[in-house]
């Protein structure tokens, strides 16, 4: 033993050097590389080495240097090796199998009889042992190098001209040529030496030792062929081991003849579908899949495999490329329904403006032919805006999981398909990844498939991204990334099957990167040779994958040429017959393309069951009960903050006096809906407490870490669940998510609150492309509610305006048409609009509009500009009387004060909306003008309450009409209300503007300037001569 020490301390330095080199290499994951690895001819193993001894020596030098994993696998084999006497003593002393080398050697050392003082000399020389240990460590490093960096030299590009990682650098620790062995201090003569394999590799299969030559050959075939694996950045050892086992185990990628024939048949469908469209409509845009036909069998494999593991519902999101093919061959939309869309004379049967064929969604329940189980597939409709659908799909998936009680995602999952340029370039991809592991947003893993055709429109990836791969964004959530050459269908299928298994084993995201090419231009009309001449010369030479694979199967005897040709003819016939039928279709029913049907909510024709809305008030005892719970702590021994106790006490007092402030009104609205079985979900930044510290829907025990209580979930024994969740700091991702959540069912109130209304503009795409236009494009209703804190309160250019003008500009009610006031005008007007925009001035108003959202017989997005200072304004309170049964939302709150007693005396009628009302009331009172100036509030701005505004104007016939707003003239509501007033008034009376002057920024950054401008417009509002002699 004593003689071993000096040797090992010497050896230790070398071992440490090797290990250190390995660590440095691991950290340099992003080095870009490629190249063709040299071939290592396989030969039977040569000499044998004592791995056990080497491990022991290394352990003596540094216990950390031997791996911690189980030593069981190599134990039996090691026992056959000759060991030094010192080691033999240890081995004999050890009666049990080792759990890890470290614990094993520790135990063995304790149990071993001490060596005699004189000791017996080691049979092997220090130099031999040193080399032995060094070589084993080197081989371990080498294995690890392949696991980490093998993908850099994998042959991923079917064109053979590009580097998938954008770099031709070849990592110097991969043995692509013989001279690389020197990096590890190994020589060619070591190639036939046998090495014990560490537990961190599975290349040995049932063998625990392999020759170095075979080790390199197997590593190369796992990591450097048509599959490139990126996973070693994952922190979880079990997950790394799982992946290593799936890919390294010899013989894992073997397919039965049946599987090969299925794969071929799927490729036939994929390819012949595109061919068929190209033949029939050669000059039509369809964003064909040519060059990545393998995506169809890829998706089908993920679906089959997931179905096999119990998944019953899959929600898909994808962009333009290959979408028609997916509809036809994955979702199984009737072919004639797809083909008839190419007919320009096709008329739409549904209202709305419709959308292009490669944006429409679809929902289909069917039997999965491989597993014989039921499966529901839906493809979510999406706009052109790339990747915008990602969070929407996640939200819908989450909701479907929620309604099924599938908290673990065992029944419902999502698949997202991406383009390479969009995946790398669009920030919402990152925002969506960051939702993937948050408790209230996780969908328990998504399988991402990237159609990496190595181009985005006309832009080369070198100009489109700074990361080696387009998929690097997925690394932020430790998702494994499987790159695969799309011209190797079997490799693709294997990778997809592992990806599905990964998702269903670990409930985490995974990425399949299909490295492919784009046979044509960006669309079928585009000339790619303008910009990518050399790439396209190669593409023109490229043999289609179907031919390559068919040739392979024919040559190996799996199918005959005749069978292959029959398969093609069969599918071509299916297409031709469907084409024949499609010509009879004259009408397009967009309703047949719904991605989220709501069974039972509409009539069978998809119409609302009525055009009425019941009163939105609730019985007094319900309000009282909610008031009690909202001001209490339903859990025993739960210590809340003293400040919060005060808040709850004041809530209790309010409830006793039968009044509510904003927060309590919201409680009443949510609580009463929950009682009626309506699920409520409120999401956004800091919504649990409320940005303005007014809500407090989640109570935190001040003494027990992470002990919380949501009183809203303690209201009634059989109430629906309430979810309130602070979101990640994302607007685009989270609003998209909630929109998707709201898509799944009409029987839920889903609200997204912006921290301040200003910030909604980073989610503008969701607002423009989905919320404002969704129904018109996709006949899909959505009742999402946006709460947008808004108000000019001297807080500066931001934190002030939710930009009401933008929402109003996108409202589709006609400013110039005086509507017919039918009995159901109030509700039918809501039905006809694209969204509802309100600015409530009282808590009761807010309460009613939230409840109306659910009591309406259809769903419309609701935009609410919510208050900040009004949350605590002593006047901004409502009484139970305004909320009890029989009461309803008032679209307009008319003047009901002194002015009403003598309407003929009223000289000015000021219309306004929201918070400015309180400033106007105060000013009117301070000037004593109650009899001369009437104030009328618009609670609902859009659709415009033509009927009620007309009534108000008539009530005060001799009054001057004024629109007063606190926003600047080119903002706020003026541009929206002005032409509508003109329509009502027939241009006989003007509507004068009072408010802040036009400006570029929504608010001043100077508090004094803010107050001055407030003073100025209040003065004008009550200056009864302000408009004297002015023309309109
Ligand atoms: C947000 C957004 N910006 C720009 C476009 C215009 N556009 C449509 S497809 C495309 C290229 C997409 O490239 P990639 O993601 O690689 O998909 P591919 O077309 O190559 O399949 C671009 C820039 C768009 N649709 N959406
Ligand atoms: Mg692309």
């Amino acid at each position: 033993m004593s003689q071993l020490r000096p040797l090992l301390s010497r050896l230790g330095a070398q071992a440490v050097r090797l290990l250190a080199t390995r660590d440095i290499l691991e950290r340099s994951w992003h080095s870009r590389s490629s190249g063709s690895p040299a071939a290592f001819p396989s030969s039977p193993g040569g000499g044998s080495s004592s791995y056990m001894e080497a491990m022991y020596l290394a352990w003596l030098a540094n216990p950390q240097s031997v791996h911690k994993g189980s030593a069981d696998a190599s134990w039996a084999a090691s026992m056959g090796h000759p060991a030094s006497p010192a080691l033999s003593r240890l081995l004999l002393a050890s009666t049990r199998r080792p759990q890890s080398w470290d614990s094993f050697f520790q135990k063995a050392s304790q149990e071993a009889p001490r060596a005699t003082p004189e000791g017996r000399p080691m049979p092997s020389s220090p130099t031999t042992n040193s080399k032995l240990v060094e070589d084993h460590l080197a081989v371990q490093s080498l294995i690890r190098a392949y696991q980490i960096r093998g993908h850099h030299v994998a042959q991923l590009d079917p064109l053979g001209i590009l580097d998938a990682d954008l770099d031709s650098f070849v990592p110097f620790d991969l043995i692509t040529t013989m001279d690389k062995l020197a990096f590890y201090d190994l020589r060619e003569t070591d190639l036939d030496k046998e090495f014990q394999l560490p537990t961190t590799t599975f290349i040995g299969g049932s063998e625990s030792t392999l020759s170095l030559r075979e080790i390199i050959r197997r590593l190369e075939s796992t990591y450097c062929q048509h599959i490139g694996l990126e996973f070693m950045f994952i922190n979880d050892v079990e997950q790394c081991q799982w992946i290593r086992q799936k890919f390294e185990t010899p013989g894992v990628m073997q397919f039965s003849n049946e599987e090969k024939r299925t794969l071929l048949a799927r490729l036939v469908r994929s390819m012949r579908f595109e061919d068929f469209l190209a033949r029939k409509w050669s000059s039509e845009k369809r964003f064909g899949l040519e060059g990545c036909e393998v995506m169809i069998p890829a998706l089908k494999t993920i679906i089959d495999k997931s179905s096999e593991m119990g998944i019953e519902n899959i929600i898909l999101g994808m962009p333009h490329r290959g979408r028609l093919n997916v509809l036809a061959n994955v979702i199984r939309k009737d072919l004639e329904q797809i083909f008839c869309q190419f007919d320009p004379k096709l008329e739409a049967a549904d209202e709305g403006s419709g959308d292009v064929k490669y944006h429409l969604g679809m929902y289909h329940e069917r039997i999965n032919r491989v597993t014989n189980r039921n499966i529901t597939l839906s493809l979510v409709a999406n706009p052109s805006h790339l990747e915008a659908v990602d969070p929407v799909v996640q939200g819908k998936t989450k909701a479907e999981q929620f309604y099924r009680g599938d908290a673990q995602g065992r029944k419902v999952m999502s698949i997202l398909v991406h383009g390479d340029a969009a995946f790398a370039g669009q920030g919402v991809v990152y925002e969506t990844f960051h939702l993937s592991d948050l408790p209230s947003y996780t969908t328990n893993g998504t399988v991402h498939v990237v159609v990496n055709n190595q181009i985005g429109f006309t832009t080369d990836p070198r100009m489109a991204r700074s990361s080696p791969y387009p998929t690097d964004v997925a690394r932020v959530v430790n998702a494994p990334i499987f790159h695969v050459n799309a011209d190797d269908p079997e490799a693709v299928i294997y990778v997809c099957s592992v990806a599905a298994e990964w998702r269903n084993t670990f409930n985490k995201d995974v990425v399949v990167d299909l490295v492919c090419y784009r046979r044509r231009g960006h669309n079928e009309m585009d000339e790619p040779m303008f910009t990518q001449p050399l790439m396209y010369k190669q593409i023109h030479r490229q043999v289609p994958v179907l031919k390559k694979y068919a040739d392979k199967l024919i040559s190996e005897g799996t199918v005959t040429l005749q069978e292959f040709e029959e398969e093609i003819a069969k599918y071509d016939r299916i297409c031709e017959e469907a084409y024949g039928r499609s010509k009879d279709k004259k009408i397009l029913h967009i309703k047949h393309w719904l991605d989220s049907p709501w069974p039972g909510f509409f009539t069978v024709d998809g119409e609302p069951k009525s055009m009425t809305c019941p009163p939105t008030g609730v019985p007094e005892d319900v309000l009282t009960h909610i008031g009690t719970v909202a001001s209490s702590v339903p859990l025993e021994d739960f210590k809340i903050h003293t400040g919060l106790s005060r808040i709850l006490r004041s809530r209790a007092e309010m409830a006793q006096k039968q009044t509510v402030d904003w927060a309590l009104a919201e409680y009443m609205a949510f609580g009463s809906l929950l009682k009626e079985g309506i699920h409520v979900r409120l999401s956004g930044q800091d919504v649990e407490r409320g940005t303005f510290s007014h809500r407090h829907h989640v109570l935190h025990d001040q003494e027990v870490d992470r002990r919380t209580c949501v009183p809203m979930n303690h209201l009634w024994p059989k109430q629906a669940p309430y979810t309130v969740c602070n979101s990640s700091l994302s607007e685009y991702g989270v609003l998209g998510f909630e929109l998707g959540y709201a898509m799944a069912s009409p029987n839920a109130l889903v609200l997204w609150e912006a921290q301040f209304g200003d910030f909604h503009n980073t989610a503008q795409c969701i607002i423009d492309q989905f919320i404002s236009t969704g129904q018109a494009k996709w006949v899909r209703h959505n009742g999402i509610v946006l709460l947008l804190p808004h108000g000019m309160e001297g807080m500066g250019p931001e934190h002030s305006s939710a930009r009401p003008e933008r929402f109003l500009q996108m409202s589709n009610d006609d400013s110039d048409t005086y509507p017919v006031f039918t009995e159901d005008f109030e509700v039918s007007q809501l039905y006809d609009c694209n969204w509802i925009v309100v600015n409530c001035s009282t808590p009761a108003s807010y309460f009613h509009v939230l409840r109306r959202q659910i009591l309406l017989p259809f769903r419309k997005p609701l935009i609410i500009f919510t208050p900040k200072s009004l949350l605590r304004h002593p006047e901004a309170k409502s009484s139970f009387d305004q909320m009890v049964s029989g009461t309803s939302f008032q679209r307009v709150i008319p003047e009901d004060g002194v002015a009403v007693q003598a309407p003929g005396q009223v000289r000015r009628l000021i219309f306004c909306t929201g918070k400015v009302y309180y400033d106007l009331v105060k000013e009117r009172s301070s000037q004593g003008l109650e009899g001369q100036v009437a104030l009328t509030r618009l609670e609902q701005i859009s659709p415009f309450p033509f009927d009620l505004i007309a009534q108000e104007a008539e009530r005060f016939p001799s009054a001057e009409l004024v629109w007063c707003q606190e926003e600047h003239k080119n903002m706020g509501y003026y541009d929206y209300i002005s032409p509508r007033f003109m329509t009502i008034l027939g241009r006989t009376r003007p509507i004068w503007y009072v408010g802040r002057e036009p400006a570029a920024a929504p608010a001043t950054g100077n508090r004094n300037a803010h107050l001055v401008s407030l003073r100025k417009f209040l003065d004008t509002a009550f200056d009864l001569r302000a408009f004297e002699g002015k023309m309109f």
Side-chain angles (χ1 to χ4, degrees), residues 108 137 177 269 605 625 801 936:
L137 290 172
T177 49
R269 284 177 166 255
D605 299 327
H625 176 70
S801 178
T936 291

Side-chain angles (χ1 to χ4, degrees), residues 320-321 384-386 419-422 426 451 453 455-457 522:
H320 50 289
R321 183 132 348 262
S384 287
H385 292 58
L386 294 166
D420 54 322
Q426 292 292 311
V451 175
N453 51 21
I455 191 165
F457 208 149
H522 173 59

Side-chain angles (χ1 to χ4, degrees), residues 46 92 125 129 165 308 317 321 354 366 449 458 545 685 811 831 884 1010 1032:
L92 283 171
S125 75
N129 280 316
D165 61 355
E308 195 181 300
R321 183 132 348 262
R366 65 181 175 88
V449 177
T458 66
V545 65
Q685 291 153 29
S811 294
Y831 182 66
V884 290
H1010 164 77
F1032 76 94

Side-chain angles (χ1 to χ4, degrees), residues 831-852:
Y831 182 66
D832 293 336
C833 73
N834 59 329
W835 57 17
I836 304 165
V837 182
V838 305
N839 189 0
C840 300
S841 68
T842 70
S845 194
Y846 179 49
F847 162 84
H848 283 297
V849 82
L850 289 177
R851 285 186 49 80
R852 185 181 74 171

